[in-house]
Amino acid sequence: MPEAFRPCSSWPMPDRDTPGGVTETNFLPYGRQEIGDADVKAVVEALVSGWLTTGPRVSEFERSFATHVGAGEGVAVNSGTAALHCAMRALGIGPGDEVIVPAITFAASANAVLYEGGTPVFADVEPDTLLIDPASAAARITAKTRAIVAVDYAGQPADYDALRALAVPRGIKLIADACHAPGATYRGKATGTLADISCFSFHPVKHLTTCEGGMAVTDDPGMAAHMRRFRNHGIDSDHRSREAAGAHAYDMAELGYNYRLPDVQCALGLAQLRRLSGWVAARQNIARLYDEALAGIAEAVPLRTHPDRTHVHHLYVVRLVEGIDRDHVFARLRAEGIGANVHYAPVYLHSHYARLGYPAGLCPNAEAAARQILTLPMFPAMGEADVRRVVGALTRATA
Ligand SMILES: Cc1ncc(COP(=O)(O)O)c(C=O)c1O
């Protein structure tokens, strides 16, 4: 087996999320990390290096990851959510500001706006890709709109040219929530180059993991410096820079947070980054196998890939046709040990958002899709037999 797909020989890796009645060994989760010997070695080296946090591996990971996604600067933080929060602060989002966010995304894309006192305004999605619909975004623009968050849903970049055409003439900033899409491209451009700030997540189900972690990347050194300060309580020096300068004084220039990503986790990120391209290729191959196997099944339609984009398949999502009970199919797959999932319910239907006054019916495409979509297992170590098993179970469940 190539190194990229070799499970670590000495560490067991039970599947998370195993429902009762299904043995751990035959459960196929919807996503799973790859941890190999090189990762364990890198983490152990970091542990005994003398730097557990704010050390040299942080800057090395920032440089390497930013370069990989085509950006000039990277700011490592301890989650994708923290990266989005840093982006909101660096762009000056605050009370009275509106930020347009697609309805179908993980709640964090919108929550980051709330953290800063701004107002998320939900745009509808394209029914066949679930990417933000630029026409819906255009219809949501008001005099208060300060930013648009584009989510690269499932690993396919949003339509950045269309969004930029809306944003730039009006002085509206663009944030890429690229948590699903490291390594993807839009019209030949890498995901770290498409917005003012692009945010990534290193949660275990993502393309590469630091256990928990994230990064905000940008070409603007001023915004990068602001985000570095914000992730460190709003203090504009850190332990290492004060050590280097032989200084003890520091100033807390604004109210920030402790969003730092430790060196030990950056060491894991660096080891994982070396295998990212291979993992993306493996995901693309699994997607091709799914596409082929599903071609004969009218009941489950894969989401569409735009020909001008490289899709990196964080998720493989099918849309079940009208009349099929998605929750019944979900339950049948789970009963067969297949960790199907749903990404996502429209954010504004969560009870927190309902209490803030967001009504149902805001985004009809998103609400219709949310009743019909199903995420099938997708992770690099899956083989052809796994794909056949999933498609076989799906065929039985939708018959
Ligand atoms: C689209 C999207 N945005 C943001 C996040 C938040 O990332 P994290 O879980 O690292 O905070 C996620 C992670 O699930 C995500 O999928």
Side-chain angles (χ1 to χ4, degrees):
M1 239 185 218
E3 158 65 17
F5 310 131
R6 190 156 53 93
C8 178
S9 48
S10 51
W11 295 70
M13 199 159 40
D15 297 323
R16 293 157 298 120
D17 201 16
T18 303
V22 178
T23 61
E24 284 191 348
T25 45
N26 75 2
F27 183 69
L28 199 58
Y30 87 88
R32 194 177 71 192
Q33 71 274 16
E34 299 294 326
I35 298 293
D37 291 337
D39 300 306
V40 175
K41 187 165 172 282
V43 166
V44 171
E45 277 171 12
L47 270 173
V48 296
S49 72
W51 284 104
L52 296 185
T53 193
T54 66
R57 284 172 178 81
V58 179
S59 335
E60 193 187 341
F61 185 42
E62 290 179 337
R63 274 193 302 274
S64 301
F65 185 82
T67 302
H68 192 91
V69 297
E73 300 251 12
V75 180
V77 287
N78 51 21
S79 69
T81 307
L84 287 160
H85 191 183
C86 286
M88 295 300 158
R89 176 61 67 95
L91 293 175
I93 303 303
D97 295 336
E98 294 179 356
V99 177
I100 296 174
V101 181
I104 297 278
T105 183
F106 184 58
S109 317
N111 294 350
V113 182
L114 294 181
Y115 295 158
E116 288 297 286
T119 304
V121 174
F122 292 97
D124 213 341
V125 293
E126 300 172 345
D128 53 354
T129 63
L130 304 191
L131 294 169
I132 187 168
D133 177 356
S136 176
R140 301 317 203 231
I141 291 174
T142 72
K144 294 179 180 170
T145 307
R146 293 283 309 281
I148 299 173
V149 177
V151 175
D152 299 337
Y153 177 80
Q156 171 167 223
D159 188 349
Y160 284 92
D161 281 353
L163 295 172
R164 191 172 291 284
L166 293 176
V168 173
R170 296 172 173 87
I172 293 170
K173 298 295 183 190
L174 209 49
I175 298 169
D177 180 338
C179 288
H180 294 186
T185 63
Y186 171 83
R187 298 186 177 164
K189 295 188 199 133
T191 33
T193 66
L194 298 166
D196 294 289
I197 299 175
S198 305
C199 300
F200 296 86
S201 164
F202 307 132
H203 178 274
V205 293
K206 299 297 195 294
H207 288 76
L208 80 161
T209 191
T210 58
C211 303
E212 296 278 1
M215 200 174 301
V217 306
T218 180
D219 279 338
D220 183 321
M223 285 201 284
H226 190 174
M227 292 192 285
R228 282 198 188 97
R229 185 174 79 183
F230 183 63
R231 72 155 175 215
N232 187 33
H233 305 278
I235 294 170
D236 54 11
S237 62
D238 65 16
H239 187 65
R240 183 160 51 124
S241 59
R242 287 195 295 277
E243 283 270 294
H248 64 84
Y250 59 82
D251 180 44
M252 196 195 96
E254 66 176 327
L255 184 62
Y257 290 75
N258 179 353
Y259 281 157
R260 297 187 302 256
L261 186 66
D263 273 56
V264 175
Q265 287 170 248
C266 290
L268 177 58
L270 280 163
Q272 294 252 307
L273 186 57
R274 288 185 200 107
R275 277 126 69 218
L276 178 59
S277 300
W279 286 335
V280 166
R283 285 173 179 274
Q284 289 166 334
N285 187 46
I286 294 160
R288 190 181 50 76
L289 294 171
Y290 268 132
D291 288 347
E292 286 167 11
L294 288 166
I297 302 176
E299 288 78 10
V301 182
L303 294 186
R304 187 163 71 91
T305 299
H306 288 283
D308 58 356
R309 302 168 212 185
T310 314
H311 195 316
V312 292
H313 294 286
H314 162 51
L315 303 174
Y316 190 89
V317 177
V318 293
R319 187 163 178 163
L320 303 180
V321 295
E322 285 289 352
I324 294 195
D325 179 347
R326 192 271 318 279
D327 290 342
H328 169 76
V329 176
F330 171 88
R332 290 279 306 270
L333 291 178
R334 285 285 173 129
E336 291 203 35
I338 290 165
N341 222 314
V342 174
H343 297 91
Y344 303 89
V347 175
Y348 60 82
L349 294 183
H350 286 293
S351 56
H352 182 76
Y353 281 87
R355 278 195 301 279
L356 293 177
Y358 291 86
L362 269 182
C363 298
N365 291 343
E367 291 185 29
R371 288 190 290 272
Q372 295 169 308
I373 50 177
L374 201 57
T375 304
L376 304 180
M378 163 63 82
F379 53 92
M382 277 177 67
E384 209 168 334
D386 294 318
V387 172
R388 277 201 303 275
R389 181 178 157 207
V390 175
V391 174
L394 186 63
T395 309
R396 286 187 291 282
T398 53

